[in-house]
Amino acid sequence: MAKYLLLKHYRGAPAAVNDVPMDQWTPEEISAHIQYMNDFAARLEKSGEFVDSKALAPEGTFVQYGGEGRPPVTDGPFAETKDLIAGWMIIDVDSYERAVELAGELSAAPGAGGKPIHEWLELRPFYSAPTATECTWK
């Protein structure tokens, strides 16, 4: 099994087919989208492929070590994940192909007008610890 991170972007990815921002959806459209996400996660939970998922609040701050005895430095003149990442899901699947298949299904979540968003999801594998046979000791 391999773990993958599916990232939902506010922006930064190519435009979705149904590219209407969520703040312009009706309450019913938002509810249908969330229900789709919950149903998708429940199905993966049953198959043992679901690890976790969360939607992210729009607030956030970059923090950097400011030096010994100095306060941390916050924010900066750069793109921040609070502006880019809407949420994430972690899956644990048998293959890259299965991860791609599930990302494609998740991309079909309904949006404005109840039509599938066809949003782009970023699929990122987690590093895994090397096995004993993969380690080389000198």
Side-chain angles (χ1 to χ4, degrees):
M1 300 289 275
K3 288 188 173 99
Y4 288 87
L5 176 65
L6 302 172
L7 287 172
K8 295 176 68 69
H9 290 266
Y10 285 121
R11 62 176 189 248
V17 172
N18 187 1
D19 193 23
V20 177
M22 189 179 257
D23 62 359
Q24 296 176 22
W25 297 1
T26 66
E28 294 80 18
E29 291 166 343
I30 292 170
S31 292
H33 180 81
I34 292 169
Q35 188 62 53
Y36 183 96
M37 302 292 290
N38 289 339
D39 291 346
F40 184 81
R43 184 167 53 87
L44 295 185
E45 218 166 0
K46 286 181 186 173
S47 70
E49 296 173 308
F50 179 80
V51 176
D52 198 10
S53 69
K54 294 286 184 259
L56 297 173
E59 302 84 31
T61 303
F62 263 102
V63 177
Q64 179 187 40
Y65 174 68
E68 193 64 40
R70 296 173 53 194
V73 178
T74 59
D75 278 342
F78 37 76
E80 301 183 42
T81 58
K82 70 182 179 190
D83 298 328
L84 302 176
I85 307 297
W88 51 266
M89 179 178 286
I90 299 172
I91 57 175
D92 194 357
V93 294
D94 288 328
S95 67
Y96 170 78
E97 290 75 21
R98 177 66 175 153
V100 169
E101 176 185 346
L102 292 175
E105 287 182 41
L106 190 57
S107 169
K115 296 177 183 168
I117 299 171
H118 296 276
E119 70 182 325
W120 288 93
L121 297 171
E122 186 177 351
L123 179 62
R124 302 276 305 272
F126 281 86
Y127 276 121
S128 60
T131 65
T133 58
E134 295 172 324
C135 290
T136 56
W137 300 94
K138 293 183 180 189

